[in-house]
Amino acid sequence: MSKLLSVQESVQHIAESISAVLNFETMVLDENLQIIAGTGKYARQIGSFEAETFIPEEYLYKYILRIGGTYVVNDINDPLYGPELYGETGEICCAIPYHTGCVGVVSLVSFTDEQKQRLVDNSVPICNYLMYMSQLISSFLSNHENFEKLNMQTKTLNEVINASPHCILVLNENGYITEFNRKARDFLQHNKNRFWGILGKNIDTFWDGAFSTFSEETKPFKNQEITFSSKGGDVRLLVSSSSIREGDKIKSIVIFFDDMNEAKNNAVKILNSSSDALNDIKG
Protein backbone atom coordinates (compact mmCIF):
# COMPACT_ATOMS: atom_id res chain seq x y z
CA MET A 1 0.00 0.00 0.00
CA SER A 2 1.16 3.54 -0.77
CA LYS A 3 2.56 5.25 2.31
CA LEU A 4 1.03 8.61 1.39
CA LEU A 5 -2.45 7.14 1.07
CA SER A 6 -2.46 6.67 4.84
CA VAL A 7 -2.30 10.48 5.25
CA GLN A 8 -4.21 11.40 2.11
CA GLU A 9 -6.55 13.86 3.82
CA SER A 10 -3.64 15.84 5.26
CA VAL A 11 -1.81 15.77 1.92
CA GLN A 12 -4.90 17.16 0.17
CA HIS A 13 -5.04 20.04 2.67
CA ILE A 14 -1.38 20.80 1.95
CA ALA A 15 -1.96 20.71 -1.82
CA GLU A 16 -4.82 23.19 -1.43
CA SER A 17 -2.64 25.45 0.72
CA ILE A 18 0.14 25.43 -1.89
CA SER A 19 -2.31 26.39 -4.64
CA ALA A 20 -3.85 29.12 -2.53
CA VAL A 21 -0.46 30.66 -1.72
CA LEU A 22 1.22 30.36 -5.13
CA ASN A 23 -1.80 30.42 -7.46
CA PHE A 24 -0.78 27.36 -9.49
CA GLU A 25 -2.46 23.99 -9.85
CA THR A 26 -0.88 21.44 -7.56
CA MET A 27 -0.58 17.67 -7.85
CA VAL A 28 0.82 15.13 -5.41
CA LEU A 29 1.91 11.68 -6.60
CA ASP A 30 2.87 8.71 -4.49
CA GLU A 31 5.77 6.35 -5.21
CA ASN A 32 3.54 4.39 -7.62
CA LEU A 33 2.77 7.59 -9.60
CA GLN A 34 -0.84 7.56 -8.44
CA ILE A 35 -2.40 10.98 -7.96
CA ILE A 36 -3.42 11.09 -4.30
CA ALA A 37 -4.06 14.83 -3.95
CA GLY A 38 -4.53 17.80 -6.23
CA THR A 39 -6.27 21.02 -7.12
CA GLY A 40 -7.96 22.25 -10.31
CA LYS A 41 -7.93 19.58 -13.01
CA TYR A 42 -5.87 17.29 -10.78
CA ALA A 43 -8.57 17.23 -8.10
CA ARG A 44 -10.76 15.38 -10.62
CA GLN A 45 -7.95 12.90 -11.33
CA ILE A 46 -7.31 11.79 -7.75
CA GLY A 47 -6.98 8.00 -7.73
CA SER A 48 -5.77 7.79 -11.33
CA PHE A 49 -2.19 7.10 -12.44
CA GLU A 50 0.17 9.32 -14.40
CA ALA A 51 0.90 8.23 -17.99
CA GLU A 52 4.52 7.55 -17.05
CA THR A 53 3.30 4.65 -14.93
CA PHE A 54 2.51 2.54 -17.96
CA ILE A 55 5.82 2.79 -19.84
CA PRO A 56 9.28 1.43 -18.97
CA GLU A 57 11.13 4.65 -19.85
CA GLU A 58 12.11 7.12 -17.14
CA TYR A 59 10.60 10.57 -17.42
CA LEU A 60 10.28 13.43 -14.94
CA TYR A 61 8.44 11.79 -12.05
CA LYS A 62 10.41 8.54 -12.02
CA TYR A 63 13.57 10.62 -12.24
CA ILE A 64 12.57 12.76 -9.24
CA LEU A 65 11.64 9.69 -7.20
CA ARG A 66 15.02 8.16 -7.95
CA ILE A 67 17.21 11.25 -7.58
CA GLY A 68 15.27 13.35 -5.06
CA GLY A 69 15.46 17.13 -4.75
CA THR A 70 13.69 19.56 -7.07
CA TYR A 71 13.47 19.99 -10.84
CA VAL A 72 12.36 23.02 -12.87
CA VAL A 73 10.85 22.48 -16.32
CA ASN A 74 11.06 25.82 -18.16
CA ASP A 75 10.97 24.25 -21.60
CA ILE A 76 8.32 21.73 -22.59
CA ASN A 77 10.83 20.24 -25.05
CA ASP A 78 12.94 19.07 -22.12
CA PRO A 79 13.63 15.37 -22.86
CA LEU A 80 12.52 14.46 -19.32
CA TYR A 81 9.14 16.12 -19.83
CA GLY A 82 6.59 13.63 -21.05
CA PRO A 83 5.55 11.20 -22.24
CA GLU A 84 2.28 13.09 -22.86
CA LEU A 85 1.37 16.75 -22.50
CA TYR A 86 -2.08 18.17 -21.83
CA GLY A 87 -1.57 21.90 -22.19
CA GLU A 88 1.20 22.30 -19.61
CA THR A 89 3.64 25.15 -20.24
CA GLY A 90 6.00 24.55 -17.31
CA GLU A 91 6.39 22.69 -14.04
CA ILE A 92 8.36 22.53 -10.82
CA CYS A 93 8.61 19.18 -9.04
CA CYS A 94 9.88 18.36 -5.58
CA ALA A 95 10.48 14.92 -4.11
CA ILE A 96 8.86 14.01 -0.79
CA PRO A 97 11.73 12.57 1.26
CA TYR A 98 11.18 9.86 3.82
CA HIS A 99 14.01 8.16 5.69
CA THR A 100 16.54 7.21 3.00
CA GLY A 101 14.26 7.40 -0.03
CA CYS A 102 11.36 9.27 -1.61
CA VAL A 103 7.69 8.40 -1.17
CA GLY A 104 6.16 10.84 -3.63
CA VAL A 105 6.35 14.03 -5.65
CA VAL A 106 4.76 17.45 -5.21
CA SER A 107 4.27 19.16 -8.56
CA LEU A 108 3.37 22.76 -9.37
CA VAL A 109 2.08 23.17 -12.95
CA SER A 110 1.59 26.18 -15.22
CA PHE A 111 -0.90 26.20 -18.11
CA THR A 112 -0.41 29.69 -19.56
CA ASP A 113 2.62 31.66 -20.72
CA GLU A 114 2.04 34.18 -17.93
CA GLN A 115 2.04 31.41 -15.31
CA LYS A 116 5.14 29.88 -16.86
CA GLN A 117 7.02 33.17 -16.71
CA ARG A 118 6.04 33.64 -13.08
CA LEU A 119 7.12 30.07 -12.38
CA VAL A 120 10.54 30.60 -13.97
CA ASP A 121 11.13 34.06 -12.48
CA ASN A 122 10.36 32.79 -8.97
CA SER A 123 11.78 29.28 -9.31
CA VAL A 124 14.23 29.59 -6.39
CA PRO A 125 11.73 30.71 -3.70
CA ILE A 126 9.11 28.32 -5.12
CA CYS A 127 11.55 25.42 -4.89
CA ASN A 128 12.37 26.37 -1.30
CA TYR A 129 8.65 26.56 -0.46
CA LEU A 130 7.92 23.18 -2.07
CA MET A 131 10.81 21.59 -0.16
CA TYR A 132 9.34 22.96 3.06
CA MET A 133 5.88 21.61 2.21
CA SER A 134 7.37 18.25 1.20
CA GLN A 135 9.06 18.03 4.58
CA LEU A 136 5.71 18.85 6.18
CA ILE A 137 4.09 15.94 4.32
CA SER A 138 6.97 13.74 5.45
CA SER A 139 6.43 14.78 9.08
CA PHE A 140 2.70 13.99 8.82
CA LEU A 141 3.61 10.55 7.53
CA SER A 142 6.18 10.01 10.28
CA ASN A 143 3.70 11.05 12.98
CA HIS A 144 1.05 8.75 11.50
CA GLU A 145 3.38 5.76 11.39
CA ASN A 146 4.61 6.44 14.94
CA PHE A 147 0.99 6.61 16.10
CA GLU A 148 0.21 3.31 14.35
CA LYS A 149 3.24 1.68 15.99
CA LEU A 150 2.23 3.03 19.39
CA ASN A 151 -1.33 1.85 18.82
CA MET A 152 -0.10 -1.64 17.94
CA GLN A 153 2.19 -1.70 20.99
CA THR A 154 -0.75 -0.64 23.15
CA LYS A 155 -2.93 -3.40 21.71
CA THR A 156 -0.15 -5.93 22.26
CA LEU A 157 0.37 -4.77 25.85
CA ASN A 158 -3.38 -4.97 26.48
CA GLU A 159 -3.42 -8.55 25.23
CA VAL A 160 -0.47 -9.42 27.47
CA ILE A 161 -2.17 -7.82 30.48
CA ASN A 162 -5.48 -9.50 29.73
CA ALA A 163 -3.73 -12.85 29.37
CA SER A 164 -2.31 -12.54 32.89
CA PRO A 165 -3.65 -15.09 35.38
CA HIS A 166 -3.82 -12.28 37.96
CA CYS A 167 -6.28 -9.44 38.40
CA ILE A 168 -4.56 -6.11 37.59
CA LEU A 169 -5.65 -2.59 38.56
CA VAL A 170 -3.99 0.79 38.09
CA LEU A 171 -5.03 3.65 40.40
CA ASN A 172 -4.24 7.34 40.04
CA GLU A 173 -2.93 9.50 42.87
CA ASN A 174 -6.46 9.86 44.28
CA GLY A 175 -7.35 6.18 44.21
CA TYR A 176 -9.49 6.20 41.05
CA ILE A 177 -9.21 3.24 38.67
CA THR A 178 -7.58 4.27 35.38
CA GLU A 179 -6.63 0.88 33.92
CA PHE A 180 -7.62 -2.74 34.51
CA ASN A 181 -7.56 -6.12 32.86
CA ARG A 182 -10.55 -8.35 32.12
CA LYS A 183 -10.01 -10.58 35.12
CA ALA A 184 -10.04 -7.59 37.51
CA ARG A 185 -13.14 -6.21 35.82
CA ASP A 186 -14.96 -9.53 36.12
CA PHE A 187 -13.92 -9.89 39.76
CA LEU A 188 -15.09 -6.41 40.76
CA GLN A 189 -18.26 -6.61 38.70
CA HIS A 190 -19.32 -9.84 40.36
CA ASN A 191 -23.01 -9.75 41.22
CA LYS A 192 -22.39 -9.42 44.93
CA ASN A 193 -20.68 -6.07 44.36
CA ARG A 194 -23.54 -4.61 42.28
CA PHE A 195 -21.23 -2.21 40.42
CA TRP A 196 -21.35 -2.43 36.63
CA GLY A 197 -18.50 -0.46 35.20
CA ILE A 198 -15.32 0.13 37.16
CA LEU A 199 -13.35 2.70 35.11
CA GLY A 200 -13.14 6.01 36.96
CA LYS A 201 -14.49 4.57 40.21
CA ASN A 202 -12.56 4.90 43.44
CA ILE A 203 -11.11 1.66 44.74
CA ASP A 204 -12.77 2.39 48.12
CA THR A 205 -16.11 1.95 46.32
CA PHE A 206 -15.35 -1.76 46.21
CA TRP A 207 -13.09 -2.30 49.23
CA ASP A 208 -13.36 -0.08 52.32
CA GLY A 209 -10.09 1.72 53.12
CA ALA A 210 -8.23 0.11 50.24
CA PHE A 211 -6.64 3.29 48.90
CA SER A 212 -5.11 4.29 52.21
CA THR A 213 -3.84 0.73 52.63
CA PHE A 214 -1.93 0.89 49.35
CA SER A 215 -0.93 4.57 49.37
CA GLU A 216 0.34 4.73 52.95
CA GLU A 217 2.41 1.57 52.77
CA THR A 218 6.11 2.54 52.56
CA LYS A 219 7.12 -0.75 50.94
CA PRO A 220 5.27 -2.51 48.12
CA PHE A 221 3.19 -5.55 48.97
CA LYS A 222 4.48 -8.88 47.70
CA ASN A 223 2.16 -11.89 47.82
CA GLN A 224 0.58 -10.58 51.00
CA GLU A 225 -2.81 -11.68 52.29
CA ILE A 226 -5.15 -8.72 52.92
CA THR A 227 -8.80 -8.71 53.95
CA PHE A 228 -11.07 -5.83 52.95
CA SER A 229 -14.68 -5.17 53.86
CA SER A 230 -17.10 -4.79 50.96
CA LYS A 231 -20.83 -4.53 50.41
CA GLY A 232 -20.91 -8.26 49.69
CA GLY A 233 -18.95 -9.20 52.79
CA ASP A 234 -15.26 -9.57 53.58
CA VAL A 235 -12.91 -10.13 50.67
CA ARG A 236 -9.66 -12.03 51.24
CA LEU A 237 -7.01 -11.25 48.64
CA LEU A 238 -3.46 -12.27 47.83
CA VAL A 239 -1.90 -8.94 46.82
CA SER A 240 1.25 -7.55 45.26
CA SER A 241 1.58 -3.84 44.53
CA SER A 242 3.96 -1.18 43.28
CA SER A 243 3.71 2.60 43.33
CA ILE A 244 5.03 5.08 40.76
CA ARG A 245 6.26 8.26 42.41
CA GLU A 246 7.58 11.71 41.60
CA GLY A 247 9.75 12.47 44.58
CA ASP A 248 7.62 11.64 47.62
CA LYS A 249 4.35 12.01 45.76
CA ILE A 250 2.47 8.98 44.47
CA LYS A 251 1.38 9.32 40.82
CA SER A 252 -0.13 5.87 40.37
CA ILE A 253 -0.37 2.47 42.02
CA VAL A 254 -0.31 -0.87 40.21
CA ILE A 255 -2.07 -3.70 42.04
CA PHE A 256 -1.89 -7.43 41.24
CA PHE A 257 -4.36 -9.51 43.22
CA ASP A 258 -6.13 -12.84 43.38
CA ASP A 259 -9.03 -14.12 45.40
CA MET A 260 -7.37 -15.93 48.29
CA ASN A 261 -9.57 -19.00 48.00
CA GLU A 262 -8.89 -19.25 44.28
CA ALA A 263 -5.15 -18.83 44.86
CA LYS A 264 -5.18 -21.66 47.44
CA ASN A 265 -7.19 -23.92 45.13
CA ASN A 266 -4.74 -23.27 42.29
CA ALA A 267 -1.81 -24.04 44.58
CA VAL A 268 -3.41 -27.36 45.60
CA LYS A 269 -3.98 -28.26 41.95
CA ILE A 270 -0.35 -27.53 41.14
CA LEU A 271 0.91 -29.58 44.08
CA ASN A 272 -1.35 -32.50 43.15
CA SER A 273 -0.25 -32.29 39.55
CA SER A 274 3.42 -32.27 40.57
CA SER A 275 2.82 -35.23 42.91
CA ASP A 276 1.11 -37.22 40.17
CA ALA A 277 3.96 -36.48 37.76
CA LEU A 278 6.53 -37.59 40.35
CA ASN A 279 4.61 -40.82 40.99
CA ASP A 280 4.51 -41.53 37.27
CA ILE A 281 8.29 -41.11 37.11
CA LYS A 282 8.81 -43.40 40.11
CA GLY A 283 6.38 -45.91 38.68
Side-chain angles (χ1 to χ4, degrees):
M1 177 183 171
S2 163
K3 290 183 178 295
L4 291 181
L5 276 175
S6 63
V7 290
Q8 185 176 23
E9 184 175 348
S10 297
V11 175
Q12 178 61 32
H13 289 323
I14 291 174
E16 291 168 357
S17 297
I18 293 172
S19 287
V21 170
L22 300 179
N23 198 25
F24 290 99
E25 291 191 16
T26 304
M27 172 178 63
V28 181
L29 302 168
D30 67 9
E31 68 268 35
N32 303 313
L33 301 186
Q34 184 179 19
I35 301 174
I36 65 162
T39 63
K41 63 174 283 187
Y42 299 112
R44 299 185 293 274
Q45 296 177 10
I46 292 174
S48 65
F49 288 83
E50 265 292 317
E52 193 179 345
T53 308
F54 306 105
I55 60 173
E57 292 82 8
E58 180 180 87
Y59 284 91
L60 179 60
Y61 303 128
K62 288 180 183 177
Y63 174 81
I64 287 291
L65 283 170
R66 180 171 62 85
I67 298 298
T70 60
Y71 193 93
V72 179
V73 178
N74 52 27
D75 182 355
I76 60 173
N77 294 315
D78 187 321
L80 271 179
Y81 207 39
E84 300 175 1
L85 298 179
Y86 299 95
E88 299 92 340
T89 58
E91 189 167 343
I92 294 181
C93 292
C94 180
I96 301 171
Y98 195 64
H99 298 317
T100 59
C102 299
V103 293
V105 178
V106 179
S107 181
L108 210 62
V109 185
S110 65
F111 288 95
T112 67
D113 290 337
E114 181 273 330
Q115 281 187 325
K116 174 189 172 182
Q117 194 60 47
R118 190 156 49 86
L119 200 69
V120 173
D121 291 345
N122 298 282
S123 60
V124 173
I126 287 175
C127 283
N128 289 335
Y129 181 70
L130 289 184
M131 284 191 288
Y132 170 78
M133 299 306 276
S134 293
Q135 289 286 352
L136 184 60
I137 292 173
S138 181
S139 69
F140 271 113
L141 180 58
S142 179
N143 290 339
H144 174 77
E145 292 195 343
N146 288 337
F147 174 79
E148 288 298 311
K149 289 178 183 177
L150 181 61
N151 190 39
M152 182 55 66
Q153 290 171 355
T154 301
K155 289 180 179 179
T156 301
L157 183 58
N158 283 337
E159 288 303 313
V160 171
I161 291 173
N162 282 318
S164 171
H166 307 290
C167 301
I168 302 174
L169 291 175
V170 180
L171 312 180
N172 68 8
E173 65 269 27
N174 297 313
Y176 290 91
I177 298 170
T178 59
E179 303 287 344
F180 54 87
N181 68 349
R182 293 190 192 105
K183 190 168 184 180
R185 177 199 62 196
D186 293 343
F187 183 87
L188 292 178
Q189 288 185 163
H190 192 272
N191 286 338
K192 66 181 180 182
N193 289 302
R194 302 295 181 189
F195 291 106
W196 297 98
I198 68 173
L199 185 65
K201 291 189 180 297
N202 196 287
I203 189 63
D204 289 348
T205 304
F206 302 96
W207 307 325
D208 293 341
F211 180 60
S212 61
T213 298
F214 292 114
S215 61
E216 294 174 5
E217 184 67 24
T218 56
K219 293 182 179 179
F221 292 110
K222 188 170 180 64
N223 294 326
Q224 185 166 336
E225 182 178 345
I226 302 176
T227 300
F228 292 112
S229 297
S230 73
K231 295 184 184 300
D234 288 349
V235 179
R236 295 174 62 225
L237 303 174
L238 185 65
V239 176
S240 295
S241 70
S242 178
S243 60
I244 300 170
R245 298 172 179 265
E246 283 186 1
D248 294 331
K249 186 176 181 181
I250 290 178
K251 301 302 294 183
S252 62
I253 301 172
V254 182
I255 303 168
F256 300 83
F257 69 93
D258 295 286
D259 178 81
M260 195 64 197
N261 291 329
E262 181 182 344
K264 287 182 177 180
N265 289 336
N266 288 337
V268 170
K269 289 179 182 178
I270 292 172
L271 289 173
N272 289 338
S273 176
S274 299
S275 178
D276 291 343
L278 184 60
N279 290 334
D280 288 343
I281 293 173
K282 290 180 178 178

